[in-house]
Amino acid sequence: MSIRSLIQDMRFSRSQRVVQDRSAVAAPEVGDSVKQSCWAHMPQELLREVLMRIEASEAAWPPRKSVVACAGVCRSWRLLTKEIVKSPELSGKLTFPISVKQPGPRDELLRCFIKRNRSTQTYYLYLGLTHALTDEGKFLLAARKYKRPTCTDYIISLNGDEMSKASSNYIGKLRSNFLGTKFTIFDGQPTDVGAKFTKSRSTRLVNLKQVSPRVPAGNYPVAHISYELNMLGSRVRTSRGPRRMQCTMDGIPASAIQPGGVAPTQAEFSSSTAEFFPSLPFFRSKSTRMESFLGPSAKPKDGVIVLRNKAPRWHEQLQCWCLNFHGRVTVASVKNFQLVASPENGPAGPEHEKIVLQFGKVGKDLFTMDYRYPISAFQAFSICLSSFDTKIACE
């Protein structure tokens, strides 16, 4: 039996199991159908060989959905598939949903693009499947803009049709201040044990029993973005230069860009939030609400990585400021930028010349987004969303 026919047979067996589970929920023997299947009892050596061949042969999307299908057969297949499939840092591939929360590859930029829907204020992130700027792409994330009286929120979800914090597909948000000059990226789940939980109006609950245990309703600040101000209070932008921005990545140590450096990597989405969220009082004082809105200080913390704009060069023939996007950007825009690691406490090295994130316009509502280690697709997408946010006082 060939690898492809094996996958088709496995998918058919899985679809039958799903139908049985839905039609006979009350039958106890149905729950054990997976354990009794021939796939679950396949010898581990043979199973490992099959999964390794599938992983090697289906290297790109859409064929790579076969790898995801293998992980959904049963528990033993899922555990072994997760062991075989490496993180984006090592493989340069985005396979499972958790991949969008893991750092990108070290040696190259991962090519993505963003589509904007002006009518619904929604932004869609896709993984580029080819080197062309017009391919269909593999959907990764979606974000929707919500204007508040004193701020703007971008709710980020794994599903473009469920843009709510009450959804299990919610993974985080981006929040701006009133002027649109300072932004905070919030993760729905803590990236490390010492993460600080920030309250918001959506977490005003008597206790966690009022929320589904799979709803990640937390607000954990993981990064701060600030645009420098001029004397008039708007974002600094010379008539021919890009905006000046600074991104402080709270959870990523400055040593992560060094050879052998390590950035926090999330292994999986938490199935329960009870271990993360303390009991929250229903009533809060005014000072507590104000502290929640402002969030932690945006000042750079010691020992964390800080990203800044790469300085453009003046082009004498074109009479404008230019950045080399290596063909990934075709339309001049103030939104275009390249971010590199800033040498905060020492001399600049070759690692500070590498582009960590670049974002640029290629069409009316189409933008490219390329990122690499040590930031994730979620963090890169959030930073790019801050470039879309515009107000009268900011331009």
Side-chain angles (χ1 to χ4, degrees):
M1 180 181 291
S2 65
I3 295 294
R4 191 166 298 278
S5 60
L6 179 103
I7 294 175
Q8 292 175 350
D9 189 18
M10 175 267 296
R11 284 181 179 171
F12 177 74
S13 175
R14 183 190 179 199
S15 63
Q16 283 188 321
R17 172 169 55 85
V18 172
V19 172
Q20 290 177 352
D21 289 342
R22 291 179 178 177
S23 61
V25 176
E29 62 273 9
V30 173
D32 297 331
S33 61
V34 179
K35 297 180 181 179
Q36 301 301 325
S37 69
C38 60
W39 302 113
H41 293 285
M42 180 180 292
Q44 287 292 309
E45 295 78 6
L46 177 60
L47 176 58
R48 179 180 292 274
E49 180 65 23
V50 170
L51 294 179
M52 290 181 66
R53 290 193 179 189
I54 296 175
E55 158 68 10
S57 61
E58 313 294 354
W61 290 92
R64 195 158 180 77
K65 61 184 178 182
S66 300
V67 179
V68 180
C70 291
V73 174
C74 60
R75 177 180 172 82
S76 60
W77 281 57
R78 179 167 60 255
L79 294 177
L80 195 53
T81 302
K82 291 172 63 177
E83 178 184 338
I84 293 174
V85 177
K86 303 302 181 183
S87 66
E89 175 190 351
L90 302 176
S91 65
K93 304 172 186 175
L94 300 181
T95 305
F96 302 114
I98 191 61
S99 299
V100 300
K101 300 288 285 293
Q102 298 174 336
R106 286 181 178 267
D107 300 328
E108 61 181 354
L109 289 168
L110 202 56
R111 300 189 174 199
C112 306
F113 60 91
I114 298 173
K115 290 183 178 180
R116 174 176 59 183
N117 188 323
R118 293 174 182 264
S119 61
T120 61
Q121 292 289 288
T122 307
Y123 306 84
Y124 302 93
L125 175 66
Y126 295 86
L127 174 67
L129 302 182
T130 66
H131 290 286
L133 300 176
T134 57
D135 63 53
E136 292 297 324
K138 167 70 174 67
F139 172 79
L140 297 178
L141 293 170
R144 181 166 296 167
K145 182 178 181 179
Y146 294 91
K147 289 187 176 181
R148 316 292 187 192
T150 57
C151 64
T152 300
D153 283 348
Y154 291 84
I155 303 299
I156 304 175
S157 172
L158 290 168
N159 189 331
D161 298 325
E162 295 183 3
M163 308 296 294
S164 169
K165 286 195 67 176
S167 169
S168 59
N169 292 299
Y170 167 82
I171 63 170
K173 71 178 181 181
L174 174 74
R175 169 165 289 186
S176 75
N177 64 354
F178 178 73
L179 295 176
T181 57
K182 294 184 183 296
F183 299 81
T184 302
I185 302 175
F186 293 95
D187 199 323
Q189 295 180 352
T191 55
D192 55 77
V193 178
K196 182 180 179 182
F197 177 75
T198 302
K199 301 176 184 177
S200 68
R201 73 174 176 177
S202 60
T203 57
R204 276 182 276 178
L205 308 171
V206 176
N207 53 51
L208 290 172
K209 295 181 181 179
Q210 295 180 337
V211 183
S212 169
R214 293 189 63 86
V215 176
N219 288 320
Y220 293 87
V222 295
H224 295 85
I225 308 165
S226 62
Y227 289 84
E228 293 183 14
L229 301 176
N230 61 17
M231 296 182 63
L232 297 178
S234 61
R235 289 187 228 184
V236 167
R237 176 168 65 91
T238 63
S239 59
R240 296 173 180 175
R243 298 166 178 167
R244 298 177 186 174
M245 61 188 298
Q246 171 182 294
C247 304
T248 304
M249 315 304 295
D250 294 343
I252 304 178
S255 59
I257 63 171
Q258 304 289 342
V262 178
T265 302
Q266 230 173 309
E268 60 185 7
F269 291 110
S270 173
S271 59
S272 174
T273 58
E275 59 184 291
F276 297 132
F277 305 131
S279 298
L280 303 177
F282 185 78
F283 299 102
R284 296 184 295 157
S285 64
K286 181 177 180 181
S287 61
T288 303
R289 290 197 299 269
M290 184 58 66
E291 181 182 355
S292 300
F293 168 72
L294 293 177
S297 173
K299 295 181 179 179
K301 298 180 180 179
D302 294 337
V304 300
I305 191 171
V306 177
L307 304 178
R308 296 184 187 272
N309 290 78
K310 185 175 183 180
R313 62 181 179 83
W314 179 257
H315 197 290
E316 290 293 342
Q317 294 180 346
L318 299 177
Q319 289 294 298
C320 65
W321 294 100
C322 296
L323 285 169
N324 186 6
F325 288 92
H326 301 282
R328 291 286 290 166
V329 177
T330 58
V331 180
S333 173
V334 68
K335 295 180 176 65
N336 301 347
F337 66 81
Q338 290 179 328
L339 296 183
V340 295
S342 175
E344 293 296 310
N345 299 315
E351 63 275 3
H352 297 99
E353 295 296 325
K354 292 183 179 179
I355 297 173
V356 177
L357 170 63
Q358 70 176 17
F359 171 76
K361 192 172 184 179
V362 294
K364 181 179 179 180
D365 293 303
L366 184 64
F367 303 80
T368 56
M369 185 199 87
D370 304 334
Y371 76 99
R372 75 188 318 151
Y373 192 90
I375 65 174
S376 65
F378 163 68
Q379 293 168 333
F381 187 40
S382 301
I383 295 173
C384 294
L385 288 175
S386 72
S387 186
F388 285 110
D389 192 71
T390 56
K391 299 180 186 294
I392 296 177
C394 298
E395 297 296 340

